[in-house]
């Protein structure tokens, strides 16, 4: 499915970020993410604000060159042709870099790979559902006689909501509902294969979402991004519950009792140590591992999550901290920064398309906004020293936790910087002779 961790570091074929370089033995899917550009029918969504900035600078350069040419021809001011030509070339290169980064997204980034080989460029969205299912099912059938780890990251419930004709119009909730129903059918097919191969009682299945609904997603006046219920905010909003709080559904008949509900804060980071324990391995001790095995919670041998603190980031910026107070069971959350909703009070960043992580797109809070999630899960009523006697105590404990947490971090490059969002020809995956990167799986077996 969707890897979304990239492929290359220094050359087109070094594959340093590829799944096969990070512990997996087989890969079929998208190395990048799914965006509207892959379908080509909806409004572009890839780095929309950054695209607007690049286009603004391109227009300024064009205007400057045009002004200089007019001034030169009319003898309004002395300027050498060399300077005008140099500025025009810079403007052309700037436009090419901008347009290559975003104008050819469908052809550069909407690709399918099998292991290290590109099988489709651009990928055929009409066949993607059946292809993903076929790959997952045959993987189970190939490995049914030995332990296996199958990680399926579905392209569904994500813009542009690719849905096969069979499921279009099935839901009362429009295209998004149709997409959810098709995803549900796909999961059912996978579980059916596990049952059919008599693997039901020996297979641990974990189903979850990586974030809440994408509120800004729309087509015309129709909202396409789901609904987050009573929770504030949504996908890509740093710390608000609507973007973070998702259900995890576990199935392991004969080992875990059915119908059990666990109301404890856990994390997708817990999958790794859980899988390691299930495989009889040991988590590395030479680094900080943020996750904790879920098995004690699931088996009932532990009543509380081992996550006393969870740190919620937007990019490299810490936006919020959650404290699960052990002695009282209360869950507190402190927001250091929150996105600026546009329009104000709308609950989302509709004008930007997605909420930014820093700059004028966020509001910094000093003191932080504090909520008691146990009593106020909607984060509607921020607390203060006047309304909460424990305000100073809670904030002091959270502050110490942040200081301890930051000591464990290793700085990394800003992945969302303008430089890292510009197309780099030397890193571009290509199935043909660059720049003629076109291939189709049926002709590429």
């Amino acid at each position: 499915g969707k890897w979304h961790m990239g492929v290359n570091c220094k050359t087109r074929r070094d594959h340093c970020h590829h799944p096969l370089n990070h512990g997996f033995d087989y890969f079929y899917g998208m190395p990048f993410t799914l965006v509207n550009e892959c379908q080509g029918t909806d409004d572009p969504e890839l780095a929309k604000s950054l695209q607007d900035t690049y286009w603004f600078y391109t227009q300024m350069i064009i205007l400057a060159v045009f002004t200089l040419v007019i001034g030169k021809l009319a003898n309004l001011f002395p300027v050498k042709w060399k300077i005008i030509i140099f500025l025009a070339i810079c403007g052309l290169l700037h436009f090419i870099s901008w347009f290559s980064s975003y104008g050819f997204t469908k052809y550069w980034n909407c690709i399918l790979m099998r292991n290290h080989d590109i099988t489709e460029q651009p990928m055929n969205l009409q066949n993607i559902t059946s292809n993903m299912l076929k790959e997952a099912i045959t993987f189970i059938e190939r490995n049914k006689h030995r332990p296996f780890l199958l990680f399926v990251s579905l392209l569904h419930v994500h813009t542009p909501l690719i849905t096969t004709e069979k499921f279009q119009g099935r839901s009362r909730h429009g295209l998004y509902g149709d997409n959810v129903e098709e995803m549900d059918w796909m999961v059912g097919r996978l579980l059916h294969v596990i049952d059919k191969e008599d693997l039901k009682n020996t297979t641990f299945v974990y189903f979850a979402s990586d974030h809440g609904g994408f509120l800004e997603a729309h087509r015309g006046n129709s909202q396409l991004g789901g609904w987050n219920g009573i929770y504030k905010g949504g996908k890509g909003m740093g710390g608000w519950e609507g973007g973070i709080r998702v259900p995890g559904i576990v199935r392991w008949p004969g080992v875990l009792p059915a119908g059990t509900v666990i109301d404890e804060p856990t994390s997708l980071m817990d999958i790794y140590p859980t899988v390691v324990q299930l495989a009889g391995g040991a988590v590395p001790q030479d680094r900080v591992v943020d996750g904790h095995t879920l098995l004690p919670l699931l088996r009932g041998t532990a009543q509380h999550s081992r996550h006393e603190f969870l740190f919620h980031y937007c990019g490299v910026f810490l936006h919020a901290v959650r404290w699960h107070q052990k002695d009282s069971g209360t869950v507190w959350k402190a927001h250091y920064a929150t996105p600026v909703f546009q329009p104000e009070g709308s609950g989302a960043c509709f004008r930007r398309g997605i909420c930014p992580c820093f700059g004028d797109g966020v509001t910094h809070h000093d003191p932080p906004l504090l909520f008691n999630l146990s009593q106020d899960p909607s984060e509607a009523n921020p607390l203060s020293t006047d309304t909460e006697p424990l305000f100073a105590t809670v904030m002091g404990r959270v502050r110490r936790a942040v200081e301890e947490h930051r000591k464990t971090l290793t700085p990394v490059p800003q992945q969302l910087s303008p430089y890292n969002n510009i197309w780099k020809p030397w890193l571009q995956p290509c199935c043909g002779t660059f720049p003629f990167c076109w291939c189709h799986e049926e002709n590429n077996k």
Side-chain angles (χ1 to χ4, degrees):
K2 184 173 61 173
W3 175 241
H4 201 173
M5 300 295 284
V7 182
N8 302 317
C9 288
K10 295 181 179 178
T11 69
R12 190 174 299 143
R13 294 182 180 87
D14 64 30
H15 293 162
C16 68
H17 298 307
H18 193 281
L20 269 58
N21 271 4
H22 291 274
F24 289 93
D25 300 310
Y26 181 81
F27 171 65
Y28 179 83
M30 288 191 74
F32 308 120
T33 190
L34 188 65
V35 288
N36 282 345
E37 283 86 339
C38 294
Q39 194 170 45
T41 56
D42 291 342
D43 293 336
E45 63 175 330
L46 190 64
K48 189 174 185 304
S49 59
L50 199 58
Q51 288 194 61
D52 293 341
T53 301
Y54 283 131
W55 179 234
F56 172 77
Y57 286 136
T58 300
Q59 290 176 305
M60 290 298 100
I61 294 172
I62 293 171
L63 183 61
V65 171
F66 183 75
T67 303
L68 290 175
V69 170
I70 295 297
K72 175 72 173 177
L73 295 176
N75 291 320
L76 296 176
F77 42 78
V79 60
K80 294 181 179 180
W81 281 112
K82 288 182 178 179
I83 296 176
I84 296 176
I85 293 171
F86 175 76
L87 190 59
I89 292 173
C90 289
L92 181 62
L93 291 174
H94 185 276
F95 174 77
I96 290 173
S97 68
W98 168 75
F99 194 77
S100 297
S101 299
Y102 303 109
F104 290 112
T105 294
K106 180 175 182 177
Y107 300 97
W108 292 148
N109 295 340
C110 300
I111 65 178
L112 276 179
M113 297 183 77
R114 179 180 284 106
N115 294 327
H116 288 130
D117 299 322
I118 297 173
T119 61
E120 287 190 356
Q121 188 171 11
M123 67 181 191
N124 184 344
L125 293 183
Q126 300 304 313
N127 299 333
I128 195 68
T129 299
S130 59
N131 286 349
M132 290 291 179
L133 254 183
K134 181 177 68 176
E135 289 286 336
I137 289 171
T138 55
F139 178 85
I140 295 172
E141 292 171 344
R142 281 200 311 272
N143 293 279
K144 62 186 178 182
H145 296 302
R146 60 179 182 175
F148 63 81
L149 168 67
L150 172 61
F151 171 44
V152 182
S153 182
L154 297 166
L155 302 186
H156 279 60
V157 198
H158 190 291
T159 52
L161 297 175
I162 48 173
T163 308
T164 59
E165 190 174 342
K166 175 183 175 183
F167 281 89
Q168 291 175 13
R170 287 270 294 265
S171 166
R172 291 180 299 161
H173 300 284
L175 182 59
Y176 186 88
D178 297 342
N179 203 247
V180 171
E181 291 206 10
E182 185 164 46
M183 177 195 68
D184 180 63
W185 171 78
M186 293 173 73
V187 173
R189 284 288 308 276
L190 293 176
L191 294 179
H192 172 72
V193 172
I194 290 172
D195 296 350
K196 185 187 74 171
E197 299 295 347
D198 200 26
L199 300 172
K200 184 174 182 178
N201 292 333
T202 56
T203 303
F204 177 89
V205 179
Y206 183 95
F207 177 87
S209 174
D210 51 348
H211 50 67
F214 180 20
L215 299 182
E216 291 87 358
H218 67 280
R219 180 179 296 167
N221 294 323
S222 301
Q223 185 179 339
L224 295 180
W227 180 64
N228 296 322
I230 66 170
Y231 303 115
K232 191 170 186 175
K235 171 186 176 181
M237 294 192 192
W240 291 123
E241 288 292 275
I244 296 170
R245 189 185 287 231
V246 296
I249 305 172
V250 177
R251 188 185 88 148
W252 195 3
V255 179
L256 303 178
T260 304
V261 177
I262 299 172
D263 186 18
E264 289 285 305
T266 61
S267 165
L268 291 183
M269 294 184 293
D270 297 333
I271 295 176
Y272 170 62
T274 303
V275 167
V276 169
Q277 184 178 356
L278 286 169
V283 173
Q285 299 299 307
D286 61 345
R287 70 205 72 180
V288 175
V289 176
D290 294 309
H292 303 290
T293 175
L294 294 169
L295 294 182
L297 264 182
L298 296 173
R299 285 173 166 155
T301 57
Q303 300 305 310
H304 296 290
S305 166
R306 286 182 60 190
H307 288 288
E308 184 177 5
F309 290 93
L310 285 170
F311 303 92
H312 303 301
Y313 281 81
C314 187
V316 296
F317 302 95
L318 180 65
H319 274 214
V321 178
R322 182 187 311 259
W323 179 27
H324 188 208
Q325 195 174 358
K326 297 299 182 185
D327 51 0
S328 69
T330 302
V331 180
W332 307 90
K333 191 159 71 168
H335 287 264
Y336 291 89
T338 54
V340 177
F341 292 145
Q342 299 171 323
E344 186 178 351
S346 63
C349 302
F350 290 110
R351 290 177 188 158
R352 291 180 183 261
I354 192 168
C355 293
C357 297
F358 60 94
D360 61 359
V362 302
T363 301
H364 294 276
H365 303 283
D366 188 15
L369 296 180
L370 180 66
F371 297 93
N372 181 343
L373 295 184
S374 303
Q375 299 177 358
D376 181 23
S378 299
E379 297 174 287
N381 303 300
L383 304 172
S384 66
T385 51
D386 296 330
T387 59
E388 177 52 66
L390 296 175
F391 184 90
T393 303
V394 171
M395 288 312 309
R397 182 66 188 95
V398 170
R399 193 179 307 111
R400 291 196 302 276
V402 171
E403 292 170 358
E404 294 167 9
H405 163 68
R406 284 188 165 142
K407 291 175 184 176
T408 70
L409 300 180
T410 302
V412 296
Q414 167 59 281
Q415 294 181 356
L416 300 178
S417 67
Y419 174 75
N420 283 330
N421 276 270
I422 281 290
W423 178 63
K424 301 177 180 66
W426 58 92
L427 298 182
Q428 178 62 53
C430 182
C431 65
T433 302
F434 183 81
F436 304 104
C437 306
W438 285 275
C439 58
H440 193 275
E441 187 157 27
E442 291 181 2
N443 304 322
N444 221 18
K445 290 183 179 178

